Amino acid sequence: MEYDVAILGGGAAGLMAAARLNERGGLSVCVVEGNAKPGAKIRISGGGKCNLTNVTVSEHNYLGDATLVRSVLKRFDDSALLNWVRARGCEPVVRKARYYFCPRSAEELIDILLKSAEGVRFFLGHKIETVRQKENGFFVTTDKTTLKARNVIVATGGVSYASVGATDIGLKIAESFGIETVPFRPALAGMTLQKEQFWMKDLSGISFPVTIHVGEKRLREDMLFAHRGISGPAVLSASLYWEKGTVTIDFLDGRSVEAVLKRGGNKKIATAIPLPKRFITAFLDALGVEDKPCSAVTAEEKVMLKTLNAYTFAPAGTFGFTKAEVSKGGVACNALQPYSCESRGVRGLYFVGEVVDVTGELGGYNFQWAFASGRCAADHIGAV
Ligand SMILES: Cc1cc2nc3c(=O)[nH]c(=O)nc-3n(C[C@H](O)[C@H](O)[C@H](O)COP(=O)(O)OP(=O)(O)OC[C@H]3O[C@@H](n4cnc5c(N)ncnc54)[C@H](O)[C@@H]3O)c2cc1C
């Protein structure tokens, strides 16, 4: 059978495109998915409750071409997404002050997407191998069959978490059409440390709010010390903007160490500084500063202690693709039309979701992008 639209990948972006095309009606649509069940990453996301969007969303929360991101988000923004979900019986709840989650479970969202895509044919357990174009359409070959389609939406995601079916087929498809791509790299991942920072490894389990500066970005969130290095929301988002080079952490999250020491008087440093004692003790050890009354701190020690407000170091790397929530890189933004995510060079071929070189910070931004871009491509196909 020939389809008007073949959607490759039954994840967030692909399911939203399928739902939209189905609800608009009039076109034959299929989804080709390698797993036996669609929506694998939605199911495991946000601790099983899927953090689907955020109370504030803009192009500034993304690494990627701002024009493309703005254009796509404008077509299906956070309010539109929330309204779409609410109209289908699910009332997302705000947690941690900023993040929207499903009230009970991510399955609620998967059910909504699948119900909205009821008229769509699903080819499950089909591993996509190639997409070729001939005069009369596209041919999608899987390990089991070949399908013909007038339009193809590539929504095969990134390569993080290969354990749930992630592959780089989207980049291979783009490259087979001569479309520019940027290699995938792990993002929203913890960071590993060089030996000068190994003192942090003994702090596994401690978490507190910090501000991390990386390049032009300033990220205020919790940081978690982990066995392998550093993690937690602030570090995960910092990994998005970090390639190589240094990051700077304000462990006191804006409170001046000088003012804290001044107020401390005869209290010992580790008592006066409002951070977990285990952390301060390890920090003082690493600096070689004795824990003494604040009033006895020398000028030289003060300079060293000031690094609590601006601790600059070069991470060794990230925890890698097995732990990264997303992959940065993908199909180059400038290869796509900003109003549709259609390839500029190949009419009828669209790229949406994580396979595109657009990656969001932690906090629902990646699902927001996946849903908005899937919807954007579907609307364009439905309209032409
Ligand atoms: C543990 C974890 C937690 C996360 N939590 C959040 C969160 O709370 N909020 C947030 O915004 N983001 C979160 N993310 C990121 C988010 O899941 C992704 O950015 C999002 O799923 C991308 O949507 P997508 O449709 O582009 O790709 P995916 O959802 O990954 O879908 C791609 C689909 O393509 C299929 N596929 C790939 N290759 C092939 C092939 N060769 N043949 C057939 N099918 C194939 C895959 O099986 C998959 O179903 C999380 C990610 C992880 C790993």
Side-chain angles (χ1 to χ4, degrees):
M1 172 167 174
E2 178 176 340
Y3 292 89
D4 290 314
V5 191
I7 299 169
L8 311 190
L15 291 179
M16 179 55 85
R20 180 62 170 167
L21 286 163
N22 184 56
E23 290 186 339
R24 286 179 68 126
L27 295 176
S28 56
V29 181
C30 69
V31 171
V32 187
E33 167 56 48
N35 290 328
K37 279 180 169 184
K41 278 196 185 164
I42 304 178
R43 194 167 286 113
I44 60 167
S45 67
K49 294 202 167 170
C50 184
N51 171 205
L52 63 157
T53 188
N54 200 285
V55 294
T56 53
V57 179
S58 84
E59 67 274 19
H60 303 298
N61 303 110
Y62 293 87
L63 181 68
D65 180 68
T67 307
L68 174 69
V69 177
R70 196 167 40 240
S71 168
V72 168
L73 292 178
K74 181 175 87 186
R75 287 169 166 76
F76 195 59
D77 64 11
D78 43 318
S79 309
L81 170 61
L82 289 168
N83 288 339
W84 189 86
V85 173
R86 284 179 187 131
R88 286 156 186 78
C90 173
E91 185 62 53
V93 290
V94 178
R95 298 223 169 87
K96 301 180 199 164
R98 295 196 297 128
Y99 307 164
Y100 276 103
F101 285 86
C102 292
R104 284 172 291 280
S105 138
E107 289 294 346
E108 294 170 275
L109 187 56
I110 298 175
D111 287 349
I112 286 175
L113 287 160
L114 292 179
K115 196 147 182 271
S116 306
E118 239 163 29
V120 168
R121 169 88 194 264
F122 278 79
F123 291 90
L124 297 174
H126 279 249
K127 306 276 179 223
I128 301 152
E129 290 174 348
T130 57
V131 177
R132 304 261 182 261
Q133 191 181 28
K134 297 196 177 143
E135 319 71 60
N136 53 351
F138 293 96
F139 292 82
V140 178
T141 302
T142 75
D143 59 347
K144 298 193 175 76
T145 189
T146 294
L147 302 158
K148 191 176 171 204
R150 288 202 302 115
N151 298 278
V152 168
I153 301 179
V154 180
T156 46
V159 291
S160 320
Y161 271 68
S163 53
V164 291
T167 76
D168 66 351
I169 190 67
L171 288 202
K172 288 197 175 126
I173 293 168
E175 283 158 10
S176 73
F177 281 90
I179 296 170
E180 190 188 337
T181 62
V182 179
F184 282 134
R185 283 104 67 219
L188 303 193
M191 290 173 149
T192 53
L193 304 166
Q194 311 228 35
K195 66 174 183 315
E196 293 76 14
Q197 281 73 45
F198 276 5
W199 58 272
M200 295 186 191
K201 289 192 170 193
D202 296 331
L203 302 174
S204 186
I206 296 180
S207 167
F208 54 85
V210 299
T211 305
I212 303 188
H213 299 259
V214 49
E216 301 290 293
K217 284 281 168 183
R218 182 173 165 273
L219 303 149
R220 277 193 76 191
E221 282 273 11
D222 281 356
M223 169 176 176
L224 170 72
F225 293 88
H227 205 58
R228 284 183 66 190
I230 50 173
S231 188
V235 175
L236 265 55
S237 286
S239 74
L240 176 61
Y241 300 107
W242 180 80
E243 285 295 335
K244 277 196 170 90
T246 59
V247 300
T248 297
I249 304 181
D250 178 356
F251 290 114
L252 279 167
D253 193 22
R255 291 160 297 181
S256 144
V257 69
E258 239 182 330
V260 170
L261 290 173
K262 208 177 221 170
R263 272 199 309 273
N266 289 330
K267 277 191 205 153
K268 283 194 162 182
I269 305 170
T271 313
I273 291 179
L275 290 174
K277 194 132 188 178
R278 244 175 87 207
F279 168 82
I280 282 294
T281 307
F283 185 80
L284 292 177
D285 275 358
L287 291 182
V289 172
E290 181 200 338
D291 186 17
K292 54 165 83 163
C294 296
S295 51
V297 169
T298 66
E300 195 191 334
E301 286 167 341
K302 209 176 264 171
V303 171
M304 289 200 270
L305 288 171
K306 272 188 181 173
T307 56
L308 266 179
N309 280 132
Y311 185 82
T312 300
F313 68 103
T318 71
F319 290 3
F321 282 121
T322 49
K323 296 278 179 206
E325 287 203 2
V326 287
S327 311
K328 58 183 168 185
V331 173
C333 296
N334 62 14
L336 305 178
Q337 301 285 8
Y339 53 84
S340 61
C341 294
E342 186 179 25
S343 154
R344 287 184 194 271
V346 188
R347 283 205 63 188
L349 182 63
Y350 297 76
F351 292 88
V352 297
E354 203 179 309
V355 76
V356 179
D357 184 17
V358 169
T359 314
E361 294 170 5
L362 193 84
Y365 297 106
N366 287 295
F367 279 129
Q368 177 67 51
W369 166 255
F371 291 134
S373 54
R375 167 95 170 198
C376 181
D379 277 346
H380 188 255
I381 294 173
V384 290

